[in-house]
Amino acid sequence: MKTINIKTIILFSLFISFFSCKAQEYPLNTDFTTIQNYSYLKDLNNELSPYIGTYKANFQEKEITIYITQENHKLIDYIDQKFYRDVLCIRYIVKNSTGNALQDTKNMNFLSNQIKHTIYSMRTRPSQNAVIFDYGGTNCSVGNGKIILKKLSSIQLSWEYRPNDIILDSSKCPSGTDINIYLPETKDLIFTKQ
């Protein structure tokens, strides 16, 4: 009987462990609190792609353009849970009646841990043709909250924005900081695909 080299056993063990440690994949709407760290919530049923595109609406003498893209395998880092998820990302431009940009995130590059200005999908509701987004808000977290988009047709979305209430003081937000909310604070605003 031949003796087996210890290096061979170690290399074989590493090889087996490498291929058995692949992150587990789950459907997109799986409860993330029930999965192991670094698992992947994947858009297996193509729930996100119908929302991708550029849409426009007018509200209170402002023109709002939203740009919806899909990011696959985005790391989500909560305090006790880290996992990957396919998400929709919304960037936007809000212009006043003269065409000047009041707020523009279209070309922003978001850092992996950035919250300010980010709008990422959290889950879908396929039975309601809806996607729920988390909005990080702007300066001093003003405007952070939830956005719900409902697919009305191949070219129209219904928008609902629910900002959270926050109390600001000089310890949380320096004076002179722009604390306006430029996104439309409303329900049932219709965006049309461009």
Side-chain angles (χ1 to χ4, degrees):
M1 184 172 185
K2 293 182 179 179
T3 58
I4 298 176
N5 186 335
I6 298 223
K7 287 182 183 178
T8 304
I9 293 173
I10 292 172
L11 286 174
F12 182 73
S13 298
L14 287 172
F15 178 78
I16 295 297
S17 67
F18 174 76
F19 284 104
S20 64
C21 289
K22 184 180 177 198
Q24 189 73 12
E25 285 185 2
Y26 297 93
L28 188 61
N29 287 313
T30 302
D31 179 359
F32 69 87
T33 63
T34 65
I35 61 175
Q36 294 180 353
N37 271 335
Y38 299 104
S39 292
Y40 180 20
L41 302 182
K42 187 174 177 137
D43 185 13
L44 299 171
N45 297 322
N46 205 28
E47 297 171 46
L48 301 178
S49 63
Y51 295 87
I52 295 170
T54 301
Y55 299 82
K56 282 190 181 183
N58 290 297
F59 181 74
Q60 296 180 344
E61 297 184 24
K62 295 180 186 111
E63 179 185 83
I64 302 95
T65 305
I66 58 175
Y67 306 89
I68 305 174
T69 58
Q70 184 170 334
E71 294 181 23
N72 293 327
H73 210 259
K74 177 170 178 46
L75 179 63
I76 308 296
D77 188 356
Y78 292 131
I79 294 170
D80 295 333
Q81 186 78 16
K82 293 173 180 38
F83 58 95
Y84 296 94
R85 177 190 286 152
D86 292 344
V87 298
L88 291 174
C89 174
I90 298 177
R91 288 180 169 80
Y92 59 91
I93 298 174
V94 179
K95 293 181 180 179
N96 64 16
S97 59
T98 61
N100 294 321
L102 299 171
Q103 197 165 57
D104 183 348
T105 67
K106 180 182 178 193
N107 295 312
M108 282 188 177
N109 290 320
F110 298 134
L111 304 173
S112 62
N113 61 348
Q114 180 176 342
I115 295 173
K116 183 178 175 181
H117 296 294
T118 60
I119 306 175
Y120 288 115
S121 61
M122 299 169 32
R123 65 187 166 278
T124 63
R125 291 185 183 155
S127 64
Q128 299 172 358
N129 288 328
V131 179
I132 291 65
F133 293 83
D134 188 37
Y135 175 41
T138 61
N139 297 320
C140 311
S141 297
V142 169
N144 71 50
K146 303 289 177 256
I147 295 170
I148 301 169
L149 293 181
K150 290 182 182 174
K151 190 82 169 159
L152 301 177
S153 71
S154 62
I155 61 166
Q156 288 189 319
L157 299 174
S158 174
W159 165 281
E160 179 179 350
Y161 171 35
R162 301 178 188 171
N164 296 323
D165 292 331
I166 61 172
I167 297 172
L168 294 176
D169 60 31
S170 59
S171 70
K172 294 180 183 173
C173 197
S175 70
T177 303
D178 182 3
I179 56 170
N180 290 306
I181 297 175
Y182 294 102
L183 288 175
E185 296 177 67
T186 189
K187 181 179 180 180
D188 299 327
L189 177 64
I190 305 301
F191 278 82
T192 303
K193 196 168 194 175
Q194 302 300 295

